[in-house]
Amino acid sequence: MAEDERVFSHDNLDLEEEGMPSCPAPEDWRAELVWVHYKLFQPPESHPELAEGLPDCGIGWLGILDRLCTQLQYLLDEEGKGNTIKLMQIKEEQGLLRVSWNGLLSQSTTANADKLIELACACSACTCEVCSEEGRLYRRGSYLATACDLHAKGERVPMKPGLENIYIRRGEINGKIQILSCRRYDPKTNSFTDVSPASLGLE
């Protein structure tokens, strides 16, 4: 990913506070994201580049990740002591952002954290991984990627009209797999809206 290996500067992040006190800010954007949000990544002292959750994705999703980390930290600060999150893995998978974590949270805080992560992943589905412009899903052989028109390669994955930015969660109810939730993501407001599956012709 030659386009993705750009030098990162502080101007890319809205720094409201200093990062890790034990070392200066690194130049690599992935390590600097960890440096800024070190409380969530818990990297080895003086080595943000060795964090388990060091992002493995393109710089186009930096804004999404910075917002997610800021929101997660705010959530922890609001909940008070005893609640912890460690970001364990951040990666691109089949054109989407994937984020995994472990920690100690109350049930309600866990639900709120998961919602923030779901919003970030939904945002990645319509954001170019290379440049952060509006993106769409493309198939490159067996590989899927979200890209803008400029960085598009391969064939655009067709989407049935009306199903754009729809996210469906299925689960088992009374021994049958059914739709548990059906939501549409709005990138302008970074929010979900519940949608009736029947209105989309879904069962």
Side-chain angles (χ1 to χ4, degrees):
M1 292 189 196
E3 301 152 310
D4 188 32
E5 300 303 325
R6 289 175 279 177
V7 173
F8 182 70
S9 73
H10 290 289
D11 294 337
N12 296 83
L13 286 177
D14 182 16
L15 296 176
E16 296 182 357
E17 59 181 346
E18 284 296 314
M20 293 178 68
S22 58
C23 66
E27 291 186 355
D28 178 77
W29 73 265
R30 298 169 180 86
E32 186 164 359
L33 182 75
V34 173
W35 182 83
V36 172
H37 300 288
Y38 67 94
K39 293 179 182 178
L40 295 174
F41 288 91
Q42 302 175 34
E45 186 175 359
S46 302
H47 291 286
E49 74 281 1
L50 298 181
E52 290 181 74
L54 189 74
D56 183 16
C57 62
I59 196 173
W61 289 349
L62 170 60
I64 298 173
L65 292 173
D66 183 38
R67 177 172 60 188
L68 172 61
C69 289
T70 299
Q71 291 173 329
L72 287 175
Q73 188 60 59
Y74 179 80
L75 179 64
L76 289 178
D77 293 342
E78 286 289 294
E79 291 297 316
K81 294 181 179 180
N83 288 281
T84 61
I85 288 178
K86 181 178 180 181
L87 296 174
M88 301 299 296
Q89 186 177 61
I90 296 174
K91 66 177 181 177
E92 178 276 332
E93 182 179 326
Q94 294 298 293
L96 292 174
L97 181 66
R98 304 294 186 189
V99 178
S100 61
W101 63 275
N102 65 24
L104 193 61
L105 299 177
S106 66
Q107 186 173 358
S108 62
T109 307
T110 297
N112 288 331
D114 286 342
K115 180 180 178 181
L116 292 174
I117 291 171
E118 287 179 0
L119 285 169
C121 295
C123 187
S124 74
C126 50
T127 304
C128 178
E129 189 184 352
V130 176
C131 70
S132 78
E133 293 296 322
E134 181 179 352
R136 298 173 179 82
L137 194 63
Y138 287 84
R139 183 176 299 280
R140 302 169 181 174
S142 60
Y143 178 71
L144 295 174
T146 300
C148 63
D149 293 339
L150 177 63
H151 296 110
K153 297 175 183 177
E155 298 180 358
R156 185 172 170 182
V157 175
M159 178 64 65
K160 183 179 178 181
L163 295 183
E164 300 89 350
N165 295 333
I166 288 292
Y167 293 85
I168 297 172
R169 187 164 62 90
R170 300 178 187 271
E172 187 174 323
I173 300 178
N174 298 326
K176 297 179 64 177
I177 300 298
Q178 300 183 38
I179 294 177
L180 301 179
S181 66
C182 181
R183 299 171 296 171
R184 186 183 300 277
Y185 175 72
D186 183 349
K188 293 182 180 179
T189 61
N190 190 43
S191 62
F192 285 120
T193 301
D194 289 332
V195 178
S196 167
S199 69
L200 301 174
L202 303 173
E203 298 182 357

